[in-house]
Amino acid sequence: MKKLVIYTLIILLGFITKSCQDLDELNENPNNVSQTHPQLLLTEISAEAFQVAGTSPLYASRMLIQTGEENDYQYFKWGNGSFGEFNDLRQVTKMIEEAERISSPNYIAIGKFFRAYYFYQLSLRFGDIPYSEALKGESEDDFQPSYDSQETVFEGIITELDEAASMIEEDVAIEGDIIFNGDARKWLKLINAYELKLLISLSNKTTAGSINIVSKFQEVYARGMMISSLEDNAQLVFQDQQDSRYTEFNSSSYGSSMYMSATYIDLLKQLKDPRLFIVAEQTSSAASQGLDINNFDSYNGGSPSENYSVINETLVASGNISKVNARYYTDPTTEPHNILSYWEVEFILAEASLRGWINDQPATHFENAIRANFEFYRSNASAYSEYLSVEEVEEYLDQAVLGIEGTEEEQLETIITQKYIATFLQAGWSQYYDYLRTGYPEFDYPTGQTPPYRFVYPVEEYNNNTKNLEAAINAQFGGNDGIRQLPWWLD
């Protein structure tokens, strides 16, 4: 009798356990899975990271002007920035965790690249940021991370890129890769080249923590695996389908009160640069007169330092100001967007050669960069390819003003100016940071104004992480969280 009771209890317990398991399975949200393959996260992360940064950096970099209202970026009056990249970094953290779960070094390495990419952008925007204690909200219930110095952040992300480069398994394909179609070697080239980008941005510094800037640049360059052709470009190619079209496609702002800046237009006109025809439209006055597209007199820009209403009453009213070329907002696949291109790498190497960081000829890399940029537009703006032929680029390079000669400072100006020309709706804020670092090309801005060096910290940090934020502001700027406070990388 006792045995029968025991058996009955065991059977009942089994039924209860099974029922609880079934109930748990029913209660699981299929849209909130605890595990996923990192390839799915990589696709989402890449699609977000490689989007066009929008028009704000173009206003700040004197490429665009606004005539409908006072644009804060045009008039150097911006304020609080965003910590939005931390949302992207949470996805990157999850990808790394999933890659560790399935023991996939390539996804871990790419995760480290994206960590470096996002922390670099955040630190350039603000200065000191949460880094070593960041992203621990879920794992350690720490939602108020302390701030690391900008120098510590740079030391950390350079180290992370070193680690990423050492982990890549070149012969193992990467699923979910919309950038390089699974080619791990190209990811390695990007990681190395991006490290050079970080290092050249520290040209005003000797060290970042324990890292010697020049020695590290030489070490990375000596690895040899580097973006070395347009086929290696770290770019997102857009498709004419929902959620895959060019970032600026159908943006109404381009067709209304947005126009080209004289700073950018006049530079292209002065150099007789045919890339003018592919970034800008003829003025309506020139078009009505029947002037050819390749007539440089067909283009004109407005002063970025002039009051917007004056530009409206003069140049806009007379039809004597150029808009952005319509292909940027009417063509759903107009051109890929690069976070690092072959031509930018060649400009970096030209500058490094000029500074004596590597034993190369600056002119070789400089000319490679310009040829590559012409070729990129020749392929992606085919309607204008006749103005960008091989013969055209060679004629362009033959101009004396483009010779790498004169003083080191004069040569630097030539290199950075050409690098600037090639960044229209490419590479985000890179051209503005180059300007802050080198002073080139010369920017026009309102009397009494100076270009900001950074953004004010987000309002959310003032509300939610007050103590740590105030400590960071005091350590850097003596308590003044202003846009013209000089961060470490520029000091």
Side-chain angles (χ1 to χ4, degrees):
M1 183 67 181
K2 288 182 179 179
K3 287 184 179 179
L4 181 60
V5 171
I6 291 171
Y7 290 149
T8 303
L9 288 172
I10 291 172
I11 292 170
L12 286 171
L13 183 61
F15 277 124
I16 292 169
T17 302
K18 180 65 168 61
S19 298
C20 289
Q21 288 174 344
D22 291 342
L23 185 60
D24 286 341
E25 289 175 5
L26 287 172
N27 286 334
E28 284 182 4
N29 182 352
N31 297 318
N32 188 24
V33 295
S34 59
Q35 294 180 347
T36 187
H37 196 284
Q39 73 183 60
L40 301 176
L41 292 164
L42 175 60
T43 302
E44 181 181 345
I45 291 165
S46 299
E48 177 64 26
F50 281 75
Q51 295 295 326
V52 181
T55 57
S56 296
L58 303 189
Y59 285 115
S61 302
R62 330 319 275 158
M63 293 178 171
L64 295 180
I65 65 167
Q66 178 61 238
T67 65
E69 60 184 356
E70 183 174 278
N71 182 276
D72 288 342
Y73 292 97
Q74 177 181 335
Y75 293 102
F76 293 155
K77 293 182 178 180
W78 59 74
N80 297 89
S82 169
F83 268 6
E85 283 84 351
F86 280 109
N87 292 325
D88 301 300
L89 280 163
R90 291 184 183 94
Q91 290 289 86
V92 174
T93 300
K94 181 62 176 175
M95 183 177 75
I96 293 174
E97 290 172 352
E98 293 301 303
E100 290 171 341
R101 178 178 62 81
I102 65 172
S103 300
S104 177
N106 280 350
Y107 289 105
I108 298 172
I110 295 172
K112 286 180 177 290
F113 163 75
F114 278 115
R115 275 180 55 87
Y117 171 78
Y118 280 124
F119 278 118
Y120 178 60
Q121 303 302 324
L122 283 163
S123 189
L124 287 180
R125 188 178 304 152
F126 297 103
D128 294 2
I129 56 170
Y131 174 63
S132 59
E133 294 185 7
L135 307 168
K136 293 184 178 180
E138 294 182 9
S139 62
E140 300 181 20
D141 199 30
D142 181 3
F143 296 98
Q144 294 179 319
S146 63
Y147 281 60
D148 293 273
S149 71
Q150 188 173 54
E151 182 174 9
T152 299
V153 174
F154 267 90
E155 181 183 24
I157 60 180
I158 291 168
T159 300
E160 289 199 60
L161 289 172
D162 283 341
E163 293 168 352
S166 70
M167 296 179 70
I168 286 284
E169 295 179 342
E170 298 179 33
D171 298 326
V172 178
I174 300 168
E175 300 297 327
D177 177 14
I178 62 173
I179 304 302
F180 295 123
N181 196 30
D183 191 336
R185 287 172 59 85
K186 289 188 176 181
W187 278 103
L188 177 56
K189 291 181 177 183
L190 169 59
I191 290 165
N192 287 331
Y194 206 81
E195 190 165 355
L196 296 187
K197 179 183 174 82
L198 264 67
L199 291 163
I200 203 71
S201 68
L202 296 179
S203 61
N204 293 330
K205 313 301 291 187
T206 302
T207 59
S210 62
I211 297 172
N212 180 280
I213 303 302
V214 176
S215 297
K216 177 59 70 173
F217 192 101
Q218 293 167 342
E219 174 196 323
V220 176
Y221 184 53
R223 293 173 190 167
M225 287 293 290
M226 196 68 56
I227 292 176
S228 57
S229 71
L230 289 177
E231 286 67 39
D232 295 334
N233 276 4
Q235 64 183 20
L236 178 62
V237 178
F238 298 94
Q239 309 293 328
D240 189 9
Q241 57 191 41
Q242 185 70 29
D243 299 324
S244 298
R245 297 184 178 95
Y246 185 66
T247 317
E248 304 298 279
F249 176 65
N250 267 347
S251 172
S252 60
S253 59
Y254 285 94
S256 55
S257 54
M258 181 192 299
Y259 292 90
M260 299 296 296
S261 166
T263 303
Y264 193 62
I265 289 281
D266 290 352
L267 180 59
L268 292 165
K269 290 172 69 173
Q270 174 192 341
L271 293 170
K272 301 296 182 186
D273 193 321
R275 287 172 291 186
L276 173 60
F277 316 143
I278 58 178
V279 300
E281 292 280 353
Q282 291 177 291
T283 65
S284 58
S285 174
S288 65
Q289 295 175 49
L291 297 183
D292 292 334
I293 287 177
N294 62 340
N295 185 328
F296 286 95
D297 291 334
S298 294
Y299 302 85
N300 193 44
S303 169
S305 62
E306 184 64 82
N307 184 283
Y308 71 92
S309 62
V310 174
I311 299 293
N312 225 350
E313 294 167 1
T314 54
L315 298 180
V316 175
S318 64
N320 190 31
I321 188 169
S322 295
K323 285 186 173 293
V324 176
N325 193 300
R327 70 188 187 88
Y328 285 108
Y329 54 94
T330 60
D331 184 348
T333 62
T334 182
E335 65 189 39
H337 179 254
N338 291 267
I339 63 170
L340 190 59
S341 61
Y342 170 48
W343 64 83
E344 184 178 357
V345 173
E346 285 295 302
F347 281 126
I348 290 169
L349 295 177
E351 181 182 347
S353 302
L354 179 65
R355 294 182 182 278
W357 291 14
I358 56 176
N359 190 28
D360 290 353
Q361 292 298 316
T364 301
H365 292 296
F366 175 75
E367 293 179 6
N368 286 346
I370 295 175
R371 290 189 181 99
N373 190 241
F374 268 70
E375 184 180 345
F376 172 80
Y377 284 123
R378 192 160 59 239
S379 300
N380 293 290
S382 56
Y384 303 88
S385 59
E386 64 181 291
Y387 310 119
L388 304 165
S389 66
V390 173
E391 292 75 23
E392 286 286 342
V393 69
E394 294 308 318
E395 182 178 333
Y396 180 73
L397 285 168
D398 281 343
Q399 297 180 90
V401 70
L402 290 180
I404 299 297
E405 54 189 21
T407 67
E408 181 175 324
E409 197 64 25
E410 289 170 338
Q411 294 179 63
L412 179 63
E413 180 178 5
T414 300
I415 292 169
I416 299 300
T417 298
Q418 279 295 316
K419 188 179 179 184
Y420 165 79
I421 288 173
T423 58
F424 191 82
L425 281 170
Q426 295 283 342
W429 283 82
S430 292
Q431 70 273 19
Y432 186 78
Y433 293 132
D434 275 339
Y435 169 75
L436 293 181
R437 178 174 63 90
T438 67
Y440 301 121
E442 184 177 344
F443 282 178
D444 180 23
Y445 42 84
T447 302
Q449 291 278 23
T450 55
Y453 297 120
R454 56 182 296 277
F455 284 77
V456 175
Y457 285 109
V459 173
E460 292 78 8
E461 280 295 282
Y462 275 96
N463 294 334
N464 302 324
N465 196 14
T466 310
K467 181 179 178 181
N468 290 318
L469 174 59
E470 289 179 348
I473 296 170
N474 287 329
Q476 294 172 95
F477 313 123
N480 183 358
D481 184 16
I483 61 175
R484 290 178 175 83
Q485 297 299 308
L486 198 65
W488 170 82
W489 77 286
L490 292 171
D491 191 2

